[in-house]
Amino acid sequence: MPYSVIPPYMLRNIIDHCSGAPQDSARRTLTHVQQLMAEHNRPNIGVATSPPGTVLRAIYDAENTQNLPGTLIRDEGQPTNGDVAAEEAWNYLGITYDFYWQTFKRNSLDNKGLKLDGTVHYGKAYQNAFWNGQQMVFGDGDGVIFNRFTIALDVVAHELTHGVTETEAGLVYFQQSGALNESMSDVFGSLVKQFHLKQSADQADWIIGEGLLAKGIHGRGLRSMSAPGTAYDDPQLGKDPQPADMTHYIETRDDNGGVHLNSGIPNRAFYLAAKALGGFAWELAGQAWYDTLCDKALPQDADFSTFARFTIEHGGKRFNRSVAEAIQSAWQQVGVT
């Protein structure tokens, strides 16, 4: 199924608390997101692939329509056309590819050199970005609540990571396994940004979507991995509803059983593990999470405690007992045993 970065509850808050253009944009976007969630991914058939270590990209322009992929504006080896959204999408697709290759020797999302296609200027004031199983799609935002969706590297990497999770673990997009699916995208989205900025776990901001909220909106981004529930508090957006531990776990039918809500719990567990282990977060905690994602024994409907057990085992197997203990302690701190 297609995965979008802005959860339905954020769009509903905008519809409830705004008027005029932002409300209209949110209403159109929410309708589209609901249609997307009912769709199945389109398989990649006969797509060009790149040799290991070499990214292959293309950027298209939807010209404010919802026709995909749109007009091809840049192919690998061609110069930029000066469009800022196209330039950001191009660079961030490349940076995400480089992270997975340099860190895990992974050749693109499917590990088979999948070409990375992105479409910019999708829809009119479209308040979202999504991965549809074939490509990345970016709206321009409405300029009042959201800036353009190519602005945040971790948002681009978040969406692309859904392709990695799909290929490796196929985590069912519902309740706890769905929240883990979302959390994987936040974890590796944040790691791509940290890798690019050469930041240690201590230096990183652990905010997903920094720069995405427009000027005047009271918030730092979409989610906080270090302190879930504190990313934003704004009259138009509402307050960040993410729980930080199992005591505040949210039982709901909305949002596929709270996949964007309860992802705050495994997000914080990763943050706590990375902080405890120190250094660059992708080297120890990130590797244990990646090994877990690629473990064919991980059930597709894994709950938090099952996933936690796998990360502890992989931390110990690849590194040592003290790494495993740091990971175990992180999960215990968020109430996952």
Side-chain angles (χ1 to χ4, degrees):
M1 60 170 294
Y3 305 91
S4 62
V5 76
I6 300 298
Y9 60 78
M10 280 184 99
L11 295 168
R12 285 198 194 96
N13 276 345
I14 297 166
I15 293 165
D16 290 346
H17 300 126
C18 294
S19 57
Q23 185 188 50
D24 292 343
S25 300
R27 200 171 270 135
R28 284 197 308 271
T29 303
L30 181 60
T31 302
H32 184 256
V33 167
Q34 287 165 337
Q35 288 167 352
L36 275 182
M37 289 178 94
E39 280 179 21
H40 289 290
N41 275 345
R42 305 164 221 187
N44 284 293
I45 300 164
V47 176
T49 56
S50 62
T54 314
V55 67
L56 197 57
R57 293 162 287 191
I59 301 293
Y60 298 83
D61 187 346
E63 296 164 14
N64 301 121
T65 70
Q66 292 188 351
N67 302 327
L68 291 175
T71 307
L72 180 66
I73 54 173
R74 189 176 182 187
D75 227 336
E76 203 61 57
Q78 293 179 340
T80 178
N81 70 348
D83 179 316
V84 66
E87 181 77 355
E88 286 169 341
W90 179 265
N91 289 337
Y92 293 167
L93 292 175
I95 289 166
T96 303
Y97 178 93
D98 289 345
F99 167 82
Y100 277 108
W101 175 251
Q102 290 174 35
T103 308
F104 306 122
K105 283 289 173 273
R106 184 179 188 87
N107 183 17
S108 196
L109 310 184
D110 61 353
N111 208 14
K112 296 175 184 170
L114 177 72
K115 183 169 176 244
L116 300 179
D117 289 339
T119 295
V120 295
H121 307 308
Y122 181 80
K124 288 185 177 68
Y126 186 75
Q127 295 172 335
N128 217 340
F130 61 92
W131 163 259
N132 71 357
Q134 283 186 320
Q135 65 159 115
M136 280 296 310
V137 183
F138 303 99
D140 290 324
D142 60 330
V144 178
I145 310 284
F146 296 113
N147 294 318
R148 61 184 182 277
F149 278 81
T150 51
I151 207 165
L153 168 57
D154 51 6
V155 164
V156 178
H158 168 108
E159 289 303 318
L160 291 171
T161 296
H162 280 301
V164 177
T165 300
E166 216 166 80
T167 304
E168 295 296 346
L171 289 166
V172 177
Y173 204 63
F174 184 64
Q175 291 182 342
Q176 287 193 15
S177 56
L180 285 166
N181 192 319
E182 275 301 319
S183 178
M184 291 305 94
S185 281
D186 278 354
V187 163
F188 290 102
S190 183
L191 290 182
V192 169
K193 179 175 150 183
Q194 292 174 37
F195 181 81
H196 178 59
L197 297 174
K198 300 183 174 57
Q199 287 178 333
S200 68
D202 278 338
Q203 294 167 321
D205 66 4
W206 296 98
I207 292 289
I208 301 295
E210 183 204 10
L212 197 53
L213 299 181
K215 198 178 173 196
I217 297 293
H218 193 261
R220 298 167 66 205
L222 301 179
R223 289 180 289 282
S224 166
M225 293 182 67
S226 58
T230 67
Y232 59 87
D233 189 354
D234 183 84
Q236 299 177 89
L237 268 186
K239 187 182 182 315
D240 177 2
Q242 275 206 315
D245 53 49
M246 289 304 287
T247 310
H248 300 96
Y249 184 88
I250 297 167
E251 296 280 0
T252 177
R253 287 184 177 180
D254 286 344
D255 186 33
N256 278 39
V259 296
H260 289 93
L261 293 163
N262 294 313
S263 58
I265 298 166
N267 276 1
R268 185 159 168 260
F270 181 82
Y271 159 78
L272 290 169
K275 280 278 283 186
L277 291 164
F280 293 123
W282 59 86
E283 291 180 341
L284 298 174
Q287 185 69 60
W289 259 246
Y290 181 74
D291 288 347
T292 297
L293 203 57
C294 297
D295 189 335
K296 294 305 170 204
L298 182 74
Q300 289 187 311
D301 62 349
D303 61 9
F304 291 173
S305 60
T306 303
F307 190 88
R309 194 179 75 243
F310 274 77
T311 60
I312 295 159
E313 284 169 8
H314 281 291
K317 200 187 297 181
R318 184 175 281 270
F319 301 110
N320 54 49
R321 193 171 159 187
S322 67
V323 170
E325 285 169 352
I327 293 171
Q328 184 171 10
S329 169
W331 285 107
Q332 286 169 342
Q333 286 176 72
V334 300
V336 174
T337 51

Short mmCIF file of all heavy atoms in Angstrom, two decimals, residues 79-122:
data_model
loop_
_atom_site.label_atom_id
_atom_site.label_comp_id
_atom_site.label_asym_id
_atom_site.label_seq_id
_atom_site.Cartn_x
_atom_site.Cartn_y
_atom_site.Cartn_z
N PRO A 79 22.16 17.97 -16.16
CA PRO A 79 22.29 19.08 -15.20
C PRO A 79 20.95 19.48 -14.60
O PRO A 79 19.89 19.12 -15.12
CB PRO A 79 22.86 20.22 -16.06
CG PRO A 79 22.35 19.93 -17.44
CD PRO A 79 22.27 18.44 -17.57
N THR A 80 21.01 20.26 -13.53
CA THR A 80 19.79 20.76 -12.90
C THR A 80 19.10 21.79 -13.80
O THR A 80 19.75 22.45 -14.61
CB THR A 80 20.14 21.42 -11.54
OG1 THR A 80 18.94 21.95 -10.97
CG2 THR A 80 21.15 22.55 -11.70
N ASN A 81 17.77 21.92 -13.62
CA ASN A 81 17.04 22.96 -14.37
C ASN A 81 16.78 24.18 -13.49
O ASN A 81 16.06 25.08 -13.87
CB ASN A 81 15.73 22.39 -14.93
CG ASN A 81 14.70 22.11 -13.84
OD1 ASN A 81 15.03 22.12 -12.65
ND2 ASN A 81 13.46 21.87 -14.23
N GLY A 82 17.33 24.17 -12.26
CA GLY A 82 17.19 25.34 -11.38
C GLY A 82 15.95 25.34 -10.53
O GLY A 82 15.75 26.25 -9.72
N ASP A 83 15.09 24.32 -10.67
CA ASP A 83 13.88 24.22 -9.85
C ASP A 83 14.29 23.72 -8.46
O ASP A 83 14.85 22.63 -8.32
CB ASP A 83 12.92 23.22 -10.52
CG ASP A 83 11.62 23.01 -9.75
OD1 ASP A 83 11.67 22.87 -8.51
OD2 ASP A 83 10.56 22.98 -10.40
N VAL A 84 14.02 24.50 -7.42
CA VAL A 84 14.52 24.18 -6.08
C VAL A 84 13.96 22.85 -5.56
O VAL A 84 14.70 22.05 -4.96
CB VAL A 84 14.29 25.34 -5.08
CG1 VAL A 84 12.83 25.59 -4.79
CG2 VAL A 84 15.05 25.10 -3.77
N ALA A 85 12.69 22.58 -5.79
CA ALA A 85 12.09 21.32 -5.32
C ALA A 85 12.71 20.13 -6.06
O ALA A 85 13.02 19.10 -5.45
CB ALA A 85 10.58 21.34 -5.53
N ALA A 86 12.90 20.28 -7.36
CA ALA A 86 13.51 19.21 -8.16
C ALA A 86 14.95 18.96 -7.70
O ALA A 86 15.40 17.81 -7.61
CB ALA A 86 13.48 19.57 -9.64
N GLU A 87 15.66 20.04 -7.39
CA GLU A 87 17.06 19.94 -6.94
C GLU A 87 17.14 19.22 -5.58
O GLU A 87 18.00 18.35 -5.37
CB GLU A 87 17.65 21.35 -6.85
CG GLU A 87 19.09 21.42 -6.41
CD GLU A 87 20.08 21.06 -7.51
OE1 GLU A 87 19.66 20.65 -8.62
OE2 GLU A 87 21.27 21.15 -7.25
N GLU A 88 16.25 19.60 -4.65
CA GLU A 88 16.23 18.95 -3.34
C GLU A 88 15.90 17.47 -3.47
O GLU A 88 16.57 16.62 -2.86
CB GLU A 88 15.20 19.63 -2.42
CG GLU A 88 15.67 20.99 -1.90
CD GLU A 88 14.57 21.78 -1.22
OE1 GLU A 88 13.36 21.49 -1.43
OE2 GLU A 88 14.91 22.72 -0.47
N ALA A 89 14.86 17.17 -4.25
CA ALA A 89 14.47 15.76 -4.42
C ALA A 89 15.63 14.95 -5.01
O ALA A 89 15.95 13.86 -4.53
CB ALA A 89 13.23 15.67 -5.32
N TRP A 90 16.28 15.52 -6.02
CA TRP A 90 17.43 14.87 -6.68
C TRP A 90 18.55 14.57 -5.67
O TRP A 90 19.03 13.45 -5.56
CB TRP A 90 17.94 15.79 -7.79
CG TRP A 90 19.13 15.27 -8.53
CD1 TRP A 90 20.44 15.54 -8.29
CD2 TRP A 90 19.11 14.39 -9.65
NE1 TRP A 90 21.24 14.90 -9.19
CE2 TRP A 90 20.45 14.19 -10.04
CE3 TRP A 90 18.09 13.76 -10.38
CZ2 TRP A 90 20.80 13.36 -11.11
CZ3 TRP A 90 18.44 12.95 -11.45
CH2 TRP A 90 19.77 12.75 -11.81
N ASN A 91 18.92 15.59 -4.91
CA ASN A 91 20.02 15.44 -3.95
C ASN A 91 19.66 14.45 -2.84
O ASN A 91 20.49 13.62 -2.45
CB ASN A 91 20.38 16.79 -3.33
CG ASN A 91 21.06 17.71 -4.32
OD1 ASN A 91 21.64 17.24 -5.31
ND2 ASN A 91 20.98 19.00 -4.10
N TYR A 92 18.43 14.53 -2.34
CA TYR A 92 18.05 13.71 -1.19
C TYR A 92 17.83 12.25 -1.58
O TYR A 92 18.09 11.35 -0.77
CB TYR A 92 16.83 14.30 -0.48
CG TYR A 92 17.11 15.65 0.18
CD1 TYR A 92 16.08 16.46 0.64
CD2 TYR A 92 18.42 16.10 0.35
CE1 TYR A 92 16.35 17.69 1.25
CE2 TYR A 92 18.69 17.33 0.95
CZ TYR A 92 17.65 18.12 1.40
OH TYR A 92 17.92 19.33 2.00
N LEU A 93 17.39 12.00 -2.80
CA LEU A 93 17.34 10.61 -3.29
C LEU A 93 18.75 10.03 -3.32
O LEU A 93 18.98 8.90 -2.90
CB LEU A 93 16.72 10.54 -4.69
CG LEU A 93 15.23 10.87 -4.83
CD1 LEU A 93 14.81 10.86 -6.29
CD2 LEU A 93 14.36 9.90 -4.05
N GLY A 94 19.71 10.85 -3.78
CA GLY A 94 21.11 10.42 -3.86
C GLY A 94 21.72 10.18 -2.49
O GLY A 94 22.44 9.19 -2.28
N ILE A 95 21.44 11.09 -1.55
CA ILE A 95 22.00 10.96 -0.20
C ILE A 95 21.45 9.71 0.49
O ILE A 95 22.19 8.99 1.18
CB ILE A 95 21.71 12.24 0.63
CG1 ILE A 95 22.55 13.42 0.10
CG2 ILE A 95 21.98 12.01 2.11
CD1 ILE A 95 22.09 14.78 0.60
N THR A 96 20.16 9.44 0.30
CA THR A 96 19.56 8.24 0.89
C THR A 96 20.18 6.98 0.30
O THR A 96 20.52 6.04 1.04
CB THR A 96 18.03 8.24 0.69
OG1 THR A 96 17.48 9.44 1.25
CG2 THR A 96 17.38 7.04 1.36
N TYR A 97 20.37 6.96 -1.03
CA TYR A 97 21.03 5.81 -1.66
C TYR A 97 22.43 5.63 -1.06
O TYR A 97 22.82 4.52 -0.70
CB TYR A 97 21.14 6.00 -3.18
CG TYR A 97 21.86 4.84 -3.84
CD1 TYR A 97 21.16 3.76 -4.34
CD2 TYR A 97 23.26 4.80 -3.88
CE1 TYR A 97 21.81 2.67 -4.88
CE2 TYR A 97 23.93 3.71 -4.41
CZ TYR A 97 23.20 2.65 -4.92
OH TYR A 97 23.86 1.56 -5.44
N ASP A 98 23.18 6.72 -0.96
CA ASP A 98 24.56 6.65 -0.45
C ASP A 98 24.60 6.12 0.99
O ASP A 98 25.50 5.34 1.34
CB ASP A 98 25.23 8.03 -0.49
CG ASP A 98 25.55 8.47 -1.92
OD1 ASP A 98 25.51 7.62 -2.83
OD2 ASP A 98 25.82 9.67 -2.11
N PHE A 99 23.66 6.55 1.81
CA PHE A 99 23.62 6.06 3.19
C PHE A 99 23.48 4.55 3.23
O PHE A 99 24.26 3.86 3.90
CB PHE A 99 22.46 6.71 3.96
CG PHE A 99 22.15 6.02 5.27
CD1 PHE A 99 22.90 6.30 6.41
CD2 PHE A 99 21.13 5.08 5.37
CE1 PHE A 99 22.63 5.66 7.61
CE2 PHE A 99 20.86 4.43 6.56
CZ PHE A 99 21.62 4.72 7.70
N TYR A 100 22.49 4.03 2.51
CA TYR A 100 22.26 2.58 2.54
C TYR A 100 23.44 1.80 1.94
O TYR A 100 23.78 0.73 2.43
CB TYR A 100 20.94 2.22 1.83
CG TYR A 100 19.74 2.38 2.74
CD1 TYR A 100 18.83 3.44 2.57
CD2 TYR A 100 19.51 1.49 3.77
CE1 TYR A 100 17.74 3.58 3.42
CE2 TYR A 100 18.42 1.63 4.62
CZ TYR A 100 17.54 2.67 4.44
OH TYR A 100 16.47 2.80 5.29
N TRP A 101 24.06 2.37 0.90
CA TRP A 101 25.20 1.68 0.30
C TRP A 101 26.43 1.73 1.21
O TRP A 101 27.06 0.71 1.47
CB TRP A 101 25.53 2.29 -1.08
CG TRP A 101 26.77 1.68 -1.65
CD1 TRP A 101 28.01 2.27 -1.80
CD2 TRP A 101 26.94 0.34 -2.11
NE1 TRP A 101 28.91 1.39 -2.32
CE2 TRP A 101 28.29 0.19 -2.52
CE3 TRP A 101 26.07 -0.76 -2.21
CZ2 TRP A 101 28.79 -1.02 -3.03
CZ3 TRP A 101 26.57 -1.96 -2.71
CH2 TRP A 101 27.92 -2.08 -3.11
N GLN A 102 26.75 2.92 1.71
CA GLN A 102 27.98 3.06 2.50
C GLN A 102 27.86 2.42 3.89
O GLN A 102 28.86 1.95 4.43
CB GLN A 102 28.35 4.54 2.63
CG GLN A 102 28.82 5.14 1.31
CD GLN A 102 29.05 6.64 1.41
OE1 GLN A 102 29.48 7.15 2.44
NE2 GLN A 102 28.74 7.36 0.33
N THR A 103 26.68 2.41 4.46
CA THR A 103 26.49 1.88 5.81
C THR A 103 26.24 0.37 5.82
O THR A 103 26.79 -0.35 6.64
CB THR A 103 25.31 2.60 6.50
OG1 THR A 103 25.52 4.01 6.41
CG2 THR A 103 25.23 2.25 7.98
N PHE A 104 25.39 -0.08 4.91
CA PHE A 104 24.95 -1.48 4.93
C PHE A 104 25.26 -2.25 3.64
O PHE A 104 24.82 -3.38 3.50
CB PHE A 104 23.44 -1.56 5.22
CG PHE A 104 23.00 -0.82 6.45
CD1 PHE A 104 22.06 0.20 6.39
CD2 PHE A 104 23.54 -1.15 7.70
CE1 PHE A 104 21.65 0.87 7.53
CE2 PHE A 104 23.14 -0.48 8.85
CZ PHE A 104 22.19 0.53 8.78
N LYS A 105 25.99 -1.62 2.72
CA LYS A 105 26.27 -2.21 1.40
C LYS A 105 24.97 -2.66 0.72
O LYS A 105 24.90 -3.70 0.07
CB LYS A 105 27.23 -3.40 1.54
CG LYS A 105 28.69 -2.97 1.73
CD LYS A 105 29.27 -2.37 0.46
CE LYS A 105 30.66 -1.77 0.62
NZ LYS A 105 30.66 -0.36 1.06
N ARG A 106 23.94 -1.83 0.89
CA ARG A 106 22.64 -2.13 0.28
C ARG A 106 22.52 -1.36 -1.02
O ARG A 106 22.63 -0.13 -1.04
CB ARG A 106 21.51 -1.74 1.25
CG ARG A 106 20.14 -2.12 0.72
CD ARG A 106 19.02 -1.76 1.67
NE ARG A 106 17.78 -2.35 1.14
CZ ARG A 106 17.37 -3.58 1.40
NH1 ARG A 106 18.05 -4.34 2.22
NH2 ARG A 106 16.26 -4.05 0.85
N ASN A 107 22.25 -2.06 -2.10
CA ASN A 107 22.14 -1.44 -3.42
C ASN A 107 20.70 -1.02 -3.70
O ASN A 107 19.91 -1.78 -4.25
CB ASN A 107 22.64 -2.40 -4.50
CG ASN A 107 22.61 -1.77 -5.89
OD1 ASN A 107 22.52 -0.55 -6.04
ND2 ASN A 107 22.67 -2.60 -6.93
N SER A 108 20.35 0.17 -3.24
CA SER A 108 19.03 0.78 -3.39
C SER A 108 18.00 0.09 -2.49
O SER A 108 18.33 -0.76 -1.68
CB SER A 108 18.57 0.79 -4.85
OG SER A 108 17.48 1.69 -5.00
N LEU A 109 16.74 0.47 -2.64
CA LEU A 109 15.70 0.05 -1.71
C LEU A 109 15.49 -1.46 -1.73
O LEU A 109 15.27 -2.08 -0.69
CB LEU A 109 14.38 0.76 -2.04
CG LEU A 109 14.44 2.28 -2.21
CD1 LEU A 109 13.05 2.84 -2.43
CD2 LEU A 109 15.12 2.95 -1.01
N ASP A 110 15.55 -2.05 -2.92
CA ASP A 110 15.29 -3.49 -3.06
C ASP A 110 16.57 -4.31 -2.99
O ASP A 110 16.53 -5.53 -3.13
CB ASP A 110 14.55 -3.77 -4.35
CG ASP A 110 15.34 -3.34 -5.59
OD1 ASP A 110 16.42 -2.70 -5.44
OD2 ASP A 110 14.89 -3.65 -6.72
N ASN A 111 17.72 -3.65 -2.82
CA ASN A 111 19.04 -4.29 -2.81
C ASN A 111 19.40 -4.88 -4.17
O ASN A 111 20.31 -5.69 -4.29
CB ASN A 111 19.14 -5.37 -1.72
CG ASN A 111 20.57 -5.55 -1.24
OD1 ASN A 111 21.44 -4.72 -1.51
ND2 ASN A 111 20.83 -6.65 -0.54
N LYS A 112 18.65 -4.47 -5.21
CA LYS A 112 18.93 -4.94 -6.56
C LYS A 112 19.15 -3.77 -7.51
O LYS A 112 19.06 -3.90 -8.73
CB LYS A 112 17.76 -5.80 -7.08
CG LYS A 112 17.54 -7.09 -6.30
CD LYS A 112 16.30 -7.80 -6.80
CE LYS A 112 16.01 -9.04 -5.96
NZ LYS A 112 14.67 -9.60 -6.30
N GLY A 113 19.40 -2.57 -6.93
CA GLY A 113 19.70 -1.40 -7.76
C GLY A 113 18.50 -0.68 -8.31
O GLY A 113 18.58 -0.01 -9.35
N LEU A 114 17.36 -0.77 -7.61
CA LEU A 114 16.12 -0.10 -8.06
C LEU A 114 16.38 1.37 -8.38
O LEU A 114 16.98 2.09 -7.60
CB LEU A 114 15.05 -0.20 -6.98
CG LEU A 114 13.71 0.51 -7.28
CD1 LEU A 114 12.93 -0.25 -8.35
CD2 LEU A 114 12.88 0.62 -6.01
N LYS A 115 15.92 1.80 -9.56
CA LYS A 115 16.01 3.21 -9.94
C LYS A 115 15.11 4.04 -9.02
O LYS A 115 14.00 3.62 -8.70
CB LYS A 115 15.57 3.36 -11.40
CG LYS A 115 15.70 4.77 -11.96
CD LYS A 115 15.49 4.75 -13.46
CE LYS A 115 15.51 6.14 -14.04
NZ LYS A 115 14.23 6.51 -14.63
N LEU A 116 15.60 5.21 -8.59
CA LEU A 116 14.84 6.06 -7.69
C LEU A 116 14.19 7.20 -8.48
O LEU A 116 14.87 8.10 -8.95
CB LEU A 116 15.75 6.62 -6.59
CG LEU A 116 16.43 5.56 -5.70
CD1 LEU A 116 17.32 6.24 -4.67
CD2 LEU A 116 15.40 4.67 -5.02
N ASP A 117 12.88 7.12 -8.63
CA ASP A 117 12.12 8.14 -9.35
C ASP A 117 11.40 9.03 -8.35
O ASP A 117 10.88 8.56 -7.33
CB ASP A 117 11.08 7.49 -10.27
CG ASP A 117 11.72 6.80 -11.46
OD1 ASP A 117 12.87 7.14 -11.80
OD2 ASP A 117 11.07 5.91 -12.05
N GLY A 118 11.37 10.32 -8.64
CA GLY A 118 10.63 11.27 -7.80
C GLY A 118 9.82 12.22 -8.66
O GLY A 118 10.28 12.64 -9.72
N THR A 119 8.62 12.53 -8.21
CA THR A 119 7.78 13.52 -8.89
C THR A 119 7.56 14.71 -7.96
O THR A 119 7.15 14.53 -6.81
CB THR A 119 6.41 12.92 -9.29
OG1 THR A 119 6.62 11.90 -10.26
CG2 THR A 119 5.48 13.98 -9.87
N VAL A 120 7.84 15.91 -8.45
CA VAL A 120 7.64 17.13 -7.66
C VAL A 120 6.42 17.90 -8.20
O VAL A 120 5.90 17.58 -9.27
CB VAL A 120 8.90 18.03 -7.68
CG1 VAL A 120 10.06 17.34 -6.98
CG2 VAL A 120 9.30 18.42 -9.11
N HIS A 121 5.98 18.89 -7.43
CA HIS A 121 4.83 19.75 -7.79
C HIS A 121 3.58 18.92 -8.07
O HIS A 121 2.87 19.13 -9.06
CB HIS A 121 5.17 20.64 -9.00
CG HIS A 121 6.43 21.43 -8.82
ND1 HIS A 121 6.66 22.21 -7.71
CD2 HIS A 121 7.54 21.53 -9.60
CE1 HIS A 121 7.85 22.77 -7.82
NE2 HIS A 121 8.42 22.36 -8.93
N TYR A 122 3.32 17.97 -7.15
CA TYR A 122 2.15 17.10 -7.29
C TYR A 122 0.92 17.79 -6.70
O TYR A 122 0.93 18.27 -5.56
CB TYR A 122 2.40 15.79 -6.54
CG TYR A 122 1.26 14.80 -6.62
CD1 TYR A 122 1.10 13.99 -7.74
CD2 TYR A 122 0.36 14.65 -5.57
CE1 TYR A 122 0.07 13.07 -7.82
CE2 TYR A 122 -0.68 13.73 -5.63
CZ TYR A 122 -0.82 12.95 -6.76
OH TYR A 122 -1.85 12.04 -6.84
#
